[in-house]
Amino acid sequence: MHISESWFERIHGSVSAERAGDTRNPFQKDKARILHSAAFRRLQAKTQVMYIGMHDFPRTRLTHSLEASQIGSSLVVHFQYHQSDLARDLKLSEPLIESLCLAHDIGHPPYGHGGEIALNYMMRHHGGFEGNGQTFRIVTQLEAYTPSAGMNLSRRSLLGLLKYPVTMNQACRQTLPSDISDFRHLPTRDWLPAKALYDDDQTALSWVLKVLSDSDKQQLQTFSMAPSASTHGQSQFKSVDASIMELADDIAYGVHDLEDAIVVGLINRELWMAQMFDLLQELEQQLSDFNATELTDQLFSEQHYKRKRAIGGLVNRLLTSARLETYSAQFKEPLLQYEANLGSPEQQLLNALKQFIFRFVIRKPEMQVQEFKGQQVVMELFDALSVDPERLLPENTKHRYLLEKDKLDEGKAGNPQRVIADYLAGMTDAYAAKLHQEMFSARIIG
């Protein structure tokens, strides 16, 4: 097994070629660029599960990303200990997985998935919008570390961020739903985005994948479920690094967001007993040293250290069951041949936790009211900005908009609407609300 040096390459050469004495490895450099980026800092004011302002110490997308990063590095250490030869051959790296976990959410717009659906609707005739696709766009183009290559991350880091290594053109449903006449009438389930990269970013994607064989490239972009007239396609494969990052993200979501929901009272013991306890008792037969009653008592104890102990125990139970396994499909590139999976009962437990959070926290009416309000803010801002962008966009964004418009006028590929989506996607929840108030409030400021 050989990992090519090509995976350490960057579009614009070394990050620190001009810095004498820099002894960091490529992934330590990538991690630093992500940590110090404006896109990463904005995560502290973007919604994770509970809306910012619901209580004094919420998990934001920033704290979620930090927790996912810690879990990701723990997974790497776990593989290095229990599958040491394979981990060494694949050159698994803690800084690499930490980088992927830190960066995985930077493309998400304000107001969580509500904002994502709103932007996807507003971009329906201009290439769509999707949070993971926006992440790839930020790191390869938008973040101002280089003139045109974004953060200029290593090729392996970029491959690891490709949870869905297909484009919108490949993945999107064949027939779009009908347009609406009023933003308040948006049927959100109809406008869930395809999980894909933007066609606008095909050049960057091609650079990442150009070191693969034609057969690997073709197989990497196959679908487990092909797109149809009414449903988006679902990509089938990703790199081993992306699978570790996704697993860390899922554990952080399923376990740590459960803790938040219990702390603020969105989940109580009675609901837990009614919806989760029977399944937990069934899993007692498959999980060693697992006691559903003891876990429940700890989670809902008035002594906070017991809840922390339970949460830590759940994370440990899940990640220590993880194994690197081979895909049934055959790839020439070792980074594409393996994926990280939990043990079967542990995966059942994590799935149940995620479904419980989705059903009884995210879909809770008071949460959906906030999501609805956020959708209206995003759509109304987009609508206003697209009517008169040269008047309303800030100077730097307006410059990018005009460049894209000039491309169209010259008969070249350009997408000025994408620039408006970039601008809105970069906003925090509070900034979007403030701009909306400034633009639409009857009160004149000044």
Side-chain angles (χ1 to χ4, degrees):
M1 184 186 301
H2 174 68
I3 305 299
S4 169
E5 292 296 312
S6 298
W7 292 111
F8 301 110
E9 293 175 352
R10 304 171 191 275
I11 295 177
H12 284 296
S14 173
V15 163
S16 53
E18 74 284 2
R19 296 173 186 165
D22 190 344
T23 58
R24 295 173 299 167
N25 68 42
F27 306 130
Q28 289 171 325
K29 296 172 185 176
D30 288 351
K31 180 182 175 182
R33 290 218 151 184
I34 292 163
L35 273 172
H36 293 287
S37 67
F40 180 73
R41 291 196 304 275
R42 290 190 191 105
L43 294 179
Q44 67 188 300
K46 289 191 177 185
T47 292
Q48 169 58 15
V49 170
M50 273 154 282
Y51 283 82
I52 295 162
M54 286 188 70
H55 64 116
D56 292 338
F57 46 96
R59 278 187 165 89
T60 63
R61 286 201 179 272
L62 179 69
T63 55
H64 164 76
S65 298
L66 291 170
E67 287 167 340
S69 177
Q70 186 273 324
I71 294 170
S73 66
S74 297
L75 283 166
V76 172
V77 172
H78 171 74
F79 295 137
Q80 289 171 338
Y81 184 83
H82 290 281
Q83 295 177 274
S84 55
D85 291 344
L86 181 55
R88 183 181 61 251
D89 290 345
L90 290 171
K91 297 184 180 179
L92 294 188
S93 160
E94 288 181 66
L96 168 61
I97 301 302
E98 288 170 349
S99 296
L100 302 183
C101 292
L102 291 172
H104 81 281
D105 263 356
I106 62 175
H108 278 275
Y111 307 112
H113 290 291
E116 182 181 42
I117 291 169
L119 281 176
N120 186 50
Y121 175 74
M122 300 308 290
M123 288 292 291
R124 63 196 180 281
H125 302 307
H126 305 283
F129 182 91
E130 198 272 332
N132 296 282
Q134 191 70 16
T135 293
F136 185 74
R137 182 169 174 81
I138 289 169
V139 299
T140 58
Q141 185 177 152
L142 298 181
E143 191 69 35
Y145 277 95
T146 60
S148 59
M151 295 187 193
N152 197 28
L153 302 180
S154 64
R155 180 182 269 113
R156 181 164 176 176
S157 290
L158 294 178
L159 180 72
L161 287 171
L162 299 180
K163 286 177 65 175
Y164 313 105
V166 294
T167 62
M168 286 286 183
N169 184 55
Q170 294 171 301
C172 196
R173 59 188 293 180
Q174 296 157 4
T175 304
L176 290 178
S178 300
D179 289 358
I180 56 174
S181 58
D182 187 320
F183 292 150
R184 294 182 180 182
H185 299 166
L186 183 73
T188 56
R189 305 306 296 175
D190 290 350
W191 289 100
L192 289 168
K195 298 296 186 182
L197 306 178
Y198 306 138
D199 298 330
D200 296 330
D201 300 325
Q202 179 64 59
T203 299
L205 175 62
S206 296
W207 181 85
V208 175
L209 302 183
K210 76 174 184 178
V211 299
L212 298 176
S213 67
D214 289 342
S215 60
D216 274 6
K217 197 180 305 180
Q218 182 176 1
Q219 187 160 249
L220 177 63
Q221 297 189 298
T222 57
F223 290 89
S224 57
M225 185 179 78
S228 67
S230 59
T231 59
H232 300 309
Q234 296 178 3
S235 60
Q236 187 169 7
F237 300 110
K238 57 181 69 70
S239 73
V240 63
D241 302 317
S243 76
I244 296 172
M245 174 266 284
E246 185 172 42
L247 184 54
D249 181 28
D250 282 351
I251 293 173
Y253 167 71
V255 179
H256 287 300
D257 292 339
L258 169 68
E259 180 184 11
D260 249 10
I262 293 173
V263 168
V264 300
L266 289 174
I267 293 173
N268 57 35
R269 186 185 183 104
E270 290 70 30
L271 179 64
W272 177 266
M273 292 296 293
Q275 299 295 330
M276 285 290 292
F277 193 74
D278 287 349
L279 173 64
L280 295 177
Q281 283 192 311
E282 291 175 15
L283 289 174
E284 285 182 344
Q285 309 303 315
Q286 304 176 61
L287 296 170
S288 61
D289 300 321
F290 180 73
N291 185 293
T293 300
E294 181 181 353
L295 173 64
T296 300
D297 289 341
Q298 289 180 336
L299 285 175
F300 296 95
S301 172
E302 293 182 1
Q303 297 173 298
H304 297 320
Y305 76 89
K306 290 186 177 180
R307 184 185 306 118
K308 281 293 183 187
R309 181 184 297 168
I311 293 295
L314 281 172
V315 171
N316 182 72
R317 179 176 294 278
L318 294 170
L319 75 82
T320 56
S321 78
R323 298 284 294 176
L324 295 172
E325 300 174 340
T326 58
Y327 279 121
S328 56
Q330 293 297 309
F331 287 93
K332 296 177 182 177
E333 172 54 57
L335 295 179
L336 303 181
Q337 189 60 66
Y338 297 88
E339 63 175 335
N341 290 314
L342 298 182
S344 178
E346 288 81 8
Q347 187 64 58
Q348 290 180 55
L349 174 60
L350 180 57
N351 288 345
L353 291 171
K354 289 169 58 181
Q355 290 164 11
F356 182 72
I357 289 291
F358 179 78
R359 182 178 176 189
F360 295 105
V361 179
I362 293 176
R363 299 301 293 177
K364 206 172 181 69
E366 52 264 49
M367 305 295 288
Q368 289 301 301
V369 166
Q370 296 299 319
E371 184 172 295
F372 175 82
K373 288 170 63 177
Q375 284 180 334
Q376 304 308 304
V377 168
V378 171
M379 289 188 287
E380 289 175 6
L381 285 174
F382 193 106
D383 187 51
L385 293 171
S386 61
V387 168
D388 200 350
E390 295 179 40
R391 178 186 181 193
L392 298 173
L393 289 175
E395 286 299 322
N396 185 51
T397 306
K398 180 167 68 177
H399 176 69
R400 290 183 50 235
Y401 178 90
L402 291 174
L403 289 176
E404 291 297 309
K405 186 172 180 292
D406 288 344
K407 290 179 186 178
L408 283 182
D409 293 342
E410 295 168 6
K412 301 176 183 177
N415 191 350
Q417 299 300 102
R418 178 66 63 198
V419 177
I420 299 176
D422 291 340
Y423 176 51
L424 286 169
M427 293 180 183
T428 63
D429 296 13
Y431 186 89
K434 180 174 179 289
L435 181 61
H436 185 272
Q437 183 177 23
E438 289 175 351
M439 292 183 69
F440 297 106
S441 173
R443 184 169 65 92
I444 302 298
I445 299 174

